[in-house]
Every structure is written in C-alpha cells, then in structure tokens.
Amino acid sequence: KAESSLFFIGNEETPDAYLSFRHKDENNIIAEHTVVSESLRGQGIARKLALKLIEYARENNLKIIPACSYVVKFFERNSEFEDVLA
C-alpha cells in the first residue's frame, strides 16, 4: 500500500514494513527510512519496497536521493536502477 510519502505493508498507523520518503524539491525525493518487522525479515520485503519507490520515481519523473542505509546499499548492488539515482 502507498500513502503520501510512505510505502507500507500492514496497517498505516503500525505498519509491518515501510519505506518512507520526502520530496526535496520538484525533481528529487529523499529515501529516508526502511523498516521491516522481525517476523517479515528474510522475505525480500525491503527490496519490494525499494522497487515500489523506484516505480513511483519513474512514473513521476523524479530522482532518488538515498539517505537510508538500505537504499544506499540497494543502489550499490543494483546498477540497473541508476536512471533514477540523483
């Protein structure tokens, strides 16, 4: 599920996993936090959230500034997504 600046799994108030971001300006978004509950770890949930962020960036012609350590490592390991990297 996606809400304004949050992609999440579960309940929005207490999500089981989420990736939060914010708009820096009209062309860039900052990936701030990725959190996955203990019960969901090891299932590729953080990757799925990162891919949703990339999809959102592409659909809205935005670049991603990774501030979250997971998103930084994701881009380091997946050069095929450099088109959305700021």
Side-chain angles (χ1 to χ4, degrees), residues 5 20-25 28-32:
S5 295
S20 64
F21 65 95
R22 67 181 170 86
H23 287 262
K24 178 181 181 192
D25 53 42
N28 297 284
I29 53 177
I30 301 172
E32 295 186 316

Side-chain angles (χ1 to χ4, degrees), residues 1 7-9 17-19 34 36 40 42-56 70-71 74 78 81:
K1 297 180 181 176
F7 291 101
F8 66 94
I9 294 172
Y18 68 87
L19 190 156
T34 304
V36 177
L40 294 177
Q43 298 179 39
I45 301 297
R47 178 179 176 77
K48 289 178 184 177
L49 292 168
L51 291 173
K52 290 304 278 183
L53 181 68
I54 290 166
E55 179 182 317
Y56 175 82
Y70 175 80
V71 177
F74 179 88
N78 297 280
F81 301 113

Side-chain angles (χ1 to χ4, degrees), residues 64-80:
I64 300 170
I65 300 168
C68 159
S69 61
Y70 175 80
V71 177
V72 169
K73 289 178 186 174
F74 179 88
F75 278 108
E76 288 173 356
R77 295 177 183 155
N78 297 280
S79 61
E80 67 269 27

